[in-house]
Amino acid sequence: LEPVTAGEMGLPESFAERLRQLLAAGRRRTAQLVTESAAVMAALGTSATTLKGAWLISTDIYPAQSRLFGDLDCAVDQATGRAVVVAALRGIGYEYRDLSKPDHLAFQRVVPGMRLYDGLPALREPLPNFGPHFGRIQRTFFVEVHYDLDISGALREPFYFGPEDATDVARHLVLTCHHLCKHEFAHTIGVVDIALMLRSSALDWRRLADLCVRFGAADICAAGVGIA
């Protein structure tokens, strides 16, 4: 959100100044991620659709594009062969990661000059070599390309995204609720995502109801919406 004066929030000036610094750092990080995401989406072409944080950044759902995200999640049309995806991303310098699965392809690229946590705190993981690890994650951009997003089999049928679904807020809301449930509500940002999506004038409630019936997602959406 836009920073306000310490007087308006009743905060000590030193704390308010720290919030302003974090806001600026967050915007620097988001700008780097958006730039890299645009290059990936251009390489994948029109068959690809951004998801989750990257998609929320591209909409008016968050004020002033204030939604932080850590990596790029995107979906590709079912007709797009996996070899085509791998070739496209290798062509712009991405490494294919071993943890990839048939419906979930993972990539990473070290971006010279990228400093993702410049001015932002990073959790100190319990690693003996945290310093070198932190240096790598500062410069590494991760991409996940999805086909069926319901790997757990919680839905009635496979859950895909095609280019025609890019602006379907209801479909993205089902995905957000599904993701929040999958991670046992541990991702607090997902609750904020749902709350803001529910306020969006672009959300078609009848469409949401139809999707819940089609995919058997009523309980999943009720859980996410209820917590939000």
Side-chain angles (χ1 to χ4, degrees):
L1 296 176
E2 291 295 330
V4 296
T5 66
E8 288 179 89
M9 296 184 69
L11 298 173
E13 178 56 35
S14 60
F15 188 70
E17 177 57 28
R18 180 60 179 145
L19 292 181
R20 287 191 283 269
Q21 292 171 359
L22 289 171
L23 174 68
R27 284 179 169 166
R28 287 196 299 271
R29 173 189 166 94
T30 297
Q32 294 178 86
L33 295 177
V34 166
T35 297
E36 190 64 21
S37 295
V40 171
M41 297 304 290
L44 292 174
T46 57
S47 69
T49 304
T50 55
L51 304 172
K52 296 191 288 188
W55 179 79
L56 287 162
I57 281 288
S58 69
T59 69
D60 293 326
I61 290 172
Y62 267 79
Q65 292 191 325
S66 54
R67 202 323 187 144
L68 289 178
F69 65 107
D71 57 7
L72 173 64
D73 279 280
C74 62
V76 290
D77 188 274
Q78 296 305 294
T80 305
R82 284 144 181 81
V84 172
V85 172
V86 173
L89 291 189
R90 279 181 171 166
I92 57 171
Y94 276 82
E95 171 191 348
Y96 184 60
R97 302 178 69 196
D98 291 340
L99 53 78
S100 296
K101 301 174 183 177
D103 284 311
H104 172 171
L105 307 181
F107 303 85
Q108 68 182 39
R109 181 171 93 91
V110 174
V111 184
M114 180 177 276
R115 291 182 56 82
L116 290 176
Y117 295 93
D118 183 19
L120 288 172
L123 294 177
R124 187 165 292 277
E125 300 177 22
L127 297 172
N129 62 338
F130 181 79
H133 171 74
F134 181 66
R136 285 192 298 273
I137 65 172
Q138 276 271 51
R139 304 186 306 276
T140 305
F141 188 70
F142 297 94
V143 175
E144 295 184 5
V145 180
H146 301 270
Y147 288 87
D148 180 8
L149 284 133
D150 182 34
I151 297 175
S152 62
L155 300 178
R156 186 170 291 153
E157 61 181 79
F159 192 55
Y160 302 126
F161 273 77
E164 70 279 3
D165 301 314
T167 59
D168 187 346
V169 177
R171 198 175 186 92
H172 285 274
L173 178 57
V174 172
L175 172 63
T176 304
C177 292
H178 179 278
H179 189 254
L180 189 65
C181 288
K182 182 179 76 172
H183 289 287
E184 299 178 338
F185 309 99
H187 293 178
T188 311
I189 190 65
V191 180
V192 180
D193 293 343
I194 292 168
L196 292 179
M197 291 168 81
L198 292 172
R199 291 171 49 185
S200 172
S201 60
L203 174 61
D204 183 333
W205 287 87
R206 185 177 296 278
R207 168 71 173 161
L208 177 62
D210 290 343
L211 289 172
C212 284
V213 171
R214 174 183 169 187
F215 290 100
D219 286 349
I220 288 172
C221 287
V225 170
I227 288 176

